[in-house]
Amino acid sequence: MDDSLIAKRLEMLRTEHRDLDSAISALVEAGSVDQLQLARFKKRKLRLRDEIALFEDQLIPDIIA
């Protein structure tokens, strides 16, 4: 993947991560929290965070110290 594709993918992942954060907040504020749905959202959010970190590492070149 070239840098522009990685940057596009990163933006999509970050957007989905923010959307999940909003969805989690809305679920908690609603009062009647569906624990299973909440756990799924949190798990997906963690996977997105890991994927974001992976793509960010691809954009940053390795520096030999």
Side-chain angles (χ1 to χ4, degrees):
M1 280 184 135
D2 68 341
D3 288 352
S4 64
L5 289 175
I6 292 173
K8 271 187 186 179
R9 180 71 178 149
L10 265 173
E11 186 57 36
M12 287 175 32
L13 292 171
R14 287 180 179 139
T15 300
E16 187 176 351
H17 190 269
R18 279 191 303 270
D19 291 346
L20 275 173
D21 200 29
S22 298
I24 290 169
S25 295
L27 253 174
V28 171
E29 289 175 8
S32 60
V33 178
D34 179 3
Q35 293 298 323
L36 183 59
Q37 186 67 31
L38 186 62
R40 286 179 180 155
F41 282 168
K42 287 182 176 182
K43 195 172 191 178
R44 175 69 181 148
K45 190 175 167 189
L46 288 173
R47 274 193 244 122
L48 286 171
R49 186 188 68 192
D50 291 343
E51 197 172 345
I52 289 169
L54 180 74
F55 281 119
E56 285 175 342
D57 287 346
Q58 289 179 4
L59 284 179
I60 300 170
D62 290 334
I63 300 174
I64 299 173

